[in-house]
Amino acid sequence: MHLFYTPDIASTIYQLDEEESKHCIRVLRLKLNDKVNLIDGKGGFYLAEIIQDHPKKTILEVLEAQKDFSKRNHHLHIAVAPTKNIDRFEWFLEKATEIGIDEITPIICERSERKEIKHDRSNKILTAAIKQSLKAFHPVLNPQISFKEFIAKAKTDVKFIAHCEEGHKGFMKDNFKPNLNYLVLIGPEGDFSIQEIEYALQNGFVPITLGESRLRTETAALQACFEINYLNRP
Amino acid sequence: MHLFYTPDIASTIYQLDEEESKHCIRVLRLKLNDKVNLIDGKGGFYLAEIIQDHPKKTILEVLEAQKDFSKRNHHLHIAVAPTKNIDRFEWFLEKATEIGIDEITPIICERSERKEIKHDRSNKILTAAIKQSLKAFHPVLNPQISFKEFIAKAKTDVKFIAHCEEGHKGFMKDNFKPNLNYLVLIGPEGDFSIQEIEYALQNGFVPITLGESRLRTETAALQACFEINYLNRP
């Protein structure tokens, strides 16, 4: 069944905006009385029927509503340095959404070659991915922030930093407790600087390894996402 | 240190071909007596020195050689239907190589929209990925094959099929034994047909789920790759 993202749904009657109406009627060729699914990005999952098939103002009536649809049993926040090649970062956004993520913060680090991302464009990728993978919760994409500012205010139950420098590092699964809030830091191409790692450790981050392989930034971020989801499997 | 892929290395003296010589001397601007690393794709990892810095026929002398460099403790073979959009399949090739894979077979299924891949092009992506992620073993990319032909001749210790149809499916970790040979089947967009699933089960494949999320083909293949590697962590 076709699915629409309706973040501002507030009653049982919902009018699609002009673009979505056109998509619904002209592209998908849906008609009066056809059924569609809606997600609101906050856990709401709806079954709705087309009660006016106007190509500029399509109106839907909600028939059934579920709250907390496929609610996750933990909260995962990944703070990652956007890659030089933005495709790689965008790919991470899509894949992490499919696998399961709640919050993403682009962090600008000492060795970051990319200093900014297009927030709206990135957010649209997340929206497309929740529609494709049928998720009712929209991951939160925070504004980009400098590493130092981010670390100073990071308050999460469990805080990890994945880095490639020498020193003792465990796996995330060591002493792992499920169903908590997790924050994982992933550095840029060229890794975090020694000073950044020190600063994170002083602020309660636990150094971890993602295994023996040398991973690209976006692969490391996805590996972290896999592991936290895996460790929280019911 | 710069790294070259030298699959045909046979003695302690090695001449780079014209393209690689040019890359070495003109692009990377390496000079006489500079050191480089070599990988042969069969586990050999070498330290070598440039003893002739000719831009068309650069000659290297091997100083140190390691066998079975970062040898994996299991054998993972993923047979996956190439995606309609080839970028997604190629992305899988790169990421699986980073995370760890030994063998890949493109399988053409009943519902496959894509009926062929460019083998050489795909293989080059694997080569680039082993260089980038510093792996001395080159994953084997088998020629594409039809689902039915593949299943009939698949002989592996542990055989899984990931599908989305109803019916009992466990996780790969259930009754998992490490350090074996594994084969995982991943279907096309639209999944395997009921007949294909039946045929795989008759041939000893164990049906598995990769979790609750609705994953794209390439994401499912990578999730399987992640899980098998994770379950084999020493």
Side-chain angles (χ1 to χ4, degrees), chain A residues 130-155:
Chain A
I130 60 167
K131 287 172 70 175
Q132 199 280 328
S133 63
L134 208 66
K135 294 194 188 301
F137 288 92
H138 195 297
V140 173
L141 179 66
N142 295 316
Q144 65 182 58
I145 185 172
S146 77
F147 176 86
K148 209 154 184 189
E149 197 182 338
F150 180 76
I151 296 301
K153 67 175 195 179
K155 307 265 177 276

Side-chain angles (χ1 to χ4, degrees), chain B residues 73 99 110 129 132 136 143 169 172 175 212 223 232:
Chain B
N73 66 0
I99 289 166
E110 217 173 296
Q132 199 280 330
K169 289 175 281 185
M172 288 201 280
N175 308 313
E212 290 303 305
Q223 169 90 33
N232 277 288

Side-chain angles (χ1 to χ4, degrees), chain B residues 93-106:
Chain B
L93 295 175
E94 177 183 301
K95 294 310 170 204
T97 303
E98 284 182 60
I99 289 166
I101 196 164
D102 303 283
E103 196 173 348
I104 298 158
T105 302

Side-chain angles (χ1 to χ4, degrees), chain A residues 3 88 91 94-95 97-100 131-135 171-173 209-211 213-216 218-220 222-223 226-227 230-231 233-234, chain B residues 3 88 91 94-95 97-100 131-135 171-173 209-211 213-216 218-220 222-223 226-227 230-231 233-234:
Chain A
L3 187 145
R88 296 185 172 278
W91 166 85
E94 176 182 300
K95 293 309 169 206
T97 302
E98 283 182 62
I99 289 163
K131 287 172 70 175
Q132 199 280 328
S133 63
L134 208 66
K135 294 194 188 301
F171 286 118
M172 289 201 281
K173 71 167 189 221
T209 174
L210 296 167
S213 289
R214 184 163 81 169
L215 303 176
R216 286 179 180 273
E218 75 280 8
T219 320
L222 196 70
Q223 170 89 30
F226 273 131
E227 287 194 33
Y230 187 87
L231 290 164
R233 261 192 193 160
Chain B
L3 186 145
R88 296 185 172 279
W91 165 85
E94 177 183 301
K95 294 310 170 204
T97 303
E98 284 182 60
I99 289 166
K131 288 172 70 174
Q132 199 280 330
S133 63
L134 207 67
K135 295 193 188 303
F171 285 118
M172 288 201 280
K173 71 167 189 219
T209 173
L210 297 168
S213 290
R214 184 164 80 170
L215 304 175
R216 285 179 181 273
E218 75 279 8
T219 320
L222 196 71
Q223 169 90 33
F226 163 77
E227 286 193 35
Y230 188 87
L231 290 164
R233 260 192 194 161

Side-chain angles (χ1 to χ4, degrees), chain A residues 168-222:
Chain A
H168 174 76
K169 289 174 284 184
F171 286 118
M172 289 201 281
K173 71 167 189 221
D174 302 338
N175 308 311
F176 190 85
K177 291 190 184 69
N179 309 125
L180 296 177
N181 297 315
Y182 311 89
L183 168 59
V184 187
L185 299 180
I186 304 288
E189 291 98 338
D191 207 1
F192 293 115
S193 69
I194 302 275
Q195 290 74 21
E196 285 172 331
I197 296 168
E198 276 304 314
Y199 189 62
L201 301 188
Q202 285 160 18
N203 281 274
F205 282 80
V206 175
I208 49 120
T209 174
L210 296 167
E212 292 302 305
S213 289
R214 184 163 81 169
L215 303 176
R216 286 179 180 273
T217 290
E218 75 280 8
T219 320
L222 196 70

